[in-house]
Amino acid sequence: MPIQATRFDRLQRQGAQVLSGSFQGSWRRRSVGVLALLFGFYAGQNVTSWWLQTIGQRPLVVLSVVLLLELVVRIRTRVVQCRPALGWLVLDNLRIGLVYAVVLEAFKLGS
């Protein structure tokens, strides 16, 4: 039975291609991608809590992080059209790790 080429099917294929694209290529590209993901998680766990301690205002810290991440996403979508260079891969994985750490921290706090 042939698979129908629906919009949802194309979206799934593009999503899988984007996700697997981060870990394809040479060992250097893969290892730098994984290291950037782990460093983003580290930054999300430690730097944001340090920044929160320094500033003391949770809404300001959250707004700053969201604006910074949104700025990175907007710049990336305008600049990169095909397979991203190593720098953009690092930036994407840093962003993913940071968001994962912040969301995980929110679930731990129950807020």
Side-chain angles (χ1 to χ4, degrees):
M1 190 157 138
I3 297 175
Q4 292 181 345
T6 61
R7 285 185 291 191
F8 184 67
D9 183 55
R10 283 189 302 244
L11 179 69
Q12 283 182 325
R13 288 181 193 275
Q14 287 175 350
Q17 191 176 34
V18 167
L19 289 176
S20 68
S22 298
F23 299 107
Q24 289 179 347
S26 66
W27 67 269
R28 181 179 142 220
R29 185 174 178 86
R30 288 190 307 247
S31 62
V32 168
V34 169
L35 285 173
L37 192 65
L38 292 174
F39 186 73
F41 183 77
Y42 174 78
Q45 287 287 314
N46 296 316
V47 173
T48 54
S49 64
W50 171 77
W51 200 15
L52 183 61
Q53 291 284 334
T54 304
I55 295 175
Q57 296 180 355
R58 180 175 288 177
L60 184 63
V61 171
V62 171
L63 181 64
S64 302
V65 169
V66 168
L67 287 176
L68 178 69
L69 292 176
E70 189 64 28
L71 181 68
V72 169
V73 169
R74 298 284 178 165
I75 290 172
R76 185 193 185 282
T77 54
R78 290 180 190 259
V79 173
V80 178
Q81 298 297 329
C82 56
R83 184 176 178 197
L86 187 60
W88 286 109
L89 176 72
V90 167
L91 199 60
D92 282 344
N93 285 353
L94 281 170
R95 181 176 49 88
I96 291 168
L98 183 97
V99 168
Y100 179 72
V102 170
V103 168
L104 184 67
E105 190 68 28
F107 277 122
K108 286 194 298 188
L109 293 175
S111 58

